[in-house]
């Protein structure tokens, strides 16, 4: 089986509780949901972007920024990574440079998959930056 990298996006949160929350403490639960605390809260993640491991390695290997490359290489080291608002500035800057570099190469047709993936990933990073409590999880999987 070929390895594949899949990124999942937060699509919903719900309170994992078998009983109703009493009215007098409901504000506390809503507060924990809004600030991202996970007190009895389950996150629902849905696949939002994927590529082959070869494509992912190709993209990551060309990134100049050590911070951004190290973060994205976490999938190869640990099998998964989480990307939240803290990671967005460094990743956005590094990936925009990589995308621009690929566009300027005479062989950019050879990198069509990488260009498409980078464009979509940058759009997802913008969602993480602008939406409350939004984050992504990247995971290494076996392609089926």
């Amino acid at each position: 089986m070929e390895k594949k990298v899949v990124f999942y996006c937060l699509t919903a949160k719900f309170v994992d509780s078998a009983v109703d929350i009493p009215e007098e403490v409901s504000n506390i639960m809503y507060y924990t949901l809004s600030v991202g605390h996970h007190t009895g809260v389950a996150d629902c993640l849905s696949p939002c972007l994927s590529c082959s491991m070869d494509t992912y390695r190709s993209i990551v290997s060309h990134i100049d920024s050590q911070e951004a490359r190290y973060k994205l290489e976490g999938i190869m080291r640990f099998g998964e990574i989480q990307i939240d608002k803290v990671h967005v500035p460094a990743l956005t800057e590094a990936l925009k440079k990589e995308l621009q570099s690929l566009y300027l190469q005479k062989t950019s047709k050879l990198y069509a998959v990488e260009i498409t993936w980078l464009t979509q990933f940058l759009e997802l990073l913008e969602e993480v930056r602008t939406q409350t409590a939004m984050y992504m999880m990247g995971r290494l999987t076996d392609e089926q």
Side-chain angles (χ1 to χ4, degrees):
M1 280 194 224
E2 183 182 350
K3 294 286 187 180
K4 183 177 177 181
V5 174
V6 179
F7 278 88
Y8 300 85
C9 296
L10 177 67
T11 55
K13 289 180 177 268
F14 69 92
V15 178
D16 186 16
S17 175
V19 295
D20 289 334
I21 299 169
E23 184 66 34
E24 57 272 8
V25 295
S26 65
N27 287 338
I28 294 170
M29 184 56 71
Y30 294 129
Y31 175 77
T32 62
L33 281 168
S34 70
V35 297
H37 292 241
H38 295 279
T39 308
V41 177
D43 290 350
C44 300
L45 300 167
S46 297
C48 53
L49 185 61
S50 65
C51 66
S52 70
M53 186 60 176
D54 290 340
T55 298
Y56 190 77
R57 278 188 213 275
S58 173
I59 292 167
V60 173
S61 69
H62 292 99
I63 295 173
D64 290 332
S65 164
Q66 285 187 338
E67 179 183 359
R69 188 174 57 247
Y70 185 79
K71 178 64 179 173
L72 294 175
E73 286 174 340
I75 287 179
M76 294 174 257
R77 284 190 307 278
F78 307 115
E80 70 179 38
I81 59 172
Q82 180 176 318
I83 296 174
D84 57 32
K85 291 182 186 336
V86 172
H87 308 110
V88 170
L91 289 174
T92 299
E93 182 181 343
L95 296 179
K96 280 183 178 180
K97 285 181 183 177
E98 174 61 14
L99 184 59
Q100 183 179 23
S101 172
L102 289 176
Y103 272 125
L104 295 175
Q105 292 182 25
K106 291 180 182 179
T107 59
S108 64
K109 288 182 183 177
L110 296 175
Y111 294 106
V113 173
E114 287 87 346
I115 289 170
T116 301
W117 191 91
L118 281 165
T119 302
Q120 292 172 344
F121 194 76
L122 284 164
E123 289 170 4
L124 291 171
L125 287 175
E126 181 61 15
E127 287 184 40
V128 170
R129 186 185 73 78
T130 59
Q131 293 185 23
T132 305
M134 170 73 168
Y135 70 94
M136 293 189 299
M137 177 74 65
R139 183 169 282 163
L140 185 59
T141 64
D142 291 323
E143 191 172 82
Q144 298 179 17

